[in-house]
């Protein structure tokens, strides 16, 4: 079973790959629209499961975990605001690429923060079986996670636990009706 860091790293690399493609110049408008939609889905699922399962453990187990978590949740909330706006625009809109670049900068910073500041600390306090157990939880939770940003739902783990499944069900219905993948 892949551990928590392998599971999260796979998502981070995927997001970074999508950002590089989106910021590149070789995509058609249709491809750009599709990649941004995939980015929104991937990011929404990733942050939702982190907020439900990852940050509570950081808060609990890591020294200084409250502060580390607070900063990360702020970054995640800001990211959701931008993605929410981006999801309502088409690539032909003047603000589209501006929002893409705002999100890309913030997302890269957030990923580096998690990987460099948080992961080493959590890694040092979890046993290998605990790391694997958390990896499994995250991978499972992703199957039923919200696929849209929901900036109005607080990023706190408690709120995510209650609101996450509701948001995920609403998203699924909207995805089915709109033919979104
Ligand atoms: Fe995150
Ligand atoms: Fe992350």
């Amino acid at each position: 079973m892949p551990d928590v860091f392998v599971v999260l790293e796979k998502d981070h690399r995927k997001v970074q790959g999508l950002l590089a493609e989106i910021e590149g110049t070789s995509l058609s408008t249709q491809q750009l629209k599709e990649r941004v939609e995939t980015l929104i889905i991937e990011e929404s699922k990733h942050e939702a499961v982190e907020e439900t399962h990852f940050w509570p453990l950081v808060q609990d187990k890591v020294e200084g975990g409250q502060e580390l978590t607070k900063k990360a949740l702020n970054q995640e909330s800001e990211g959701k605001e931008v993605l929410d706006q981006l999801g309502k625009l088409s690539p032909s809109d003047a603000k589209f690429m501006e929002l893409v670049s705002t999100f890309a900068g913030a997302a890269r910073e957030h990923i580096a923060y998690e990987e460099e500041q948080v992961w080493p600390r959590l890694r040092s306090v979890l046993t290998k079986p605990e790391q694997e157990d958390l990896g499994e939880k995250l991978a499972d939770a992703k199957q039923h996670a919200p696929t849209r940003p929901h900036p109005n739902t607080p990023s706190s783990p408690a709120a995510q636990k209650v609101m996450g499944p509701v948001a995920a069900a609403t998203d699924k219905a909207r995805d089915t009706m709109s033919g979104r993948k």
Side-chain angles (χ1 to χ4, degrees), residues 22 27-37 86-98 100:
I22 290 165
L27 296 181
S28 67
T29 307
Q30 182 57 29
Q31 287 170 325
L32 187 57
K33 192 173 158 34
E34 285 169 9
R35 296 300 190 283
V36 168
E37 192 164 278
L86 196 53
K88 292 172 184 155
L89 298 180
S90 84
S92 57
D93 196 293
K95 273 198 84 179
F96 189 86
M97 285 316 287
E98 192 187 310
V100 162

Side-chain angles (χ1 to χ4, degrees), residues 8-9 11-12 43 46-47 50 54-55 76 107 110-111 114-115 119:
L8 293 177
E9 188 173 14
D11 286 354
H12 286 180
E43 260 294 303
H46 177 82
E47 304 301 2
E50 276 184 351
F54 178 82
W55 294 113
E76 290 176 10
H110 178 62
I111 287 173
E114 290 183 336
E115 294 190 3
W119 290 8

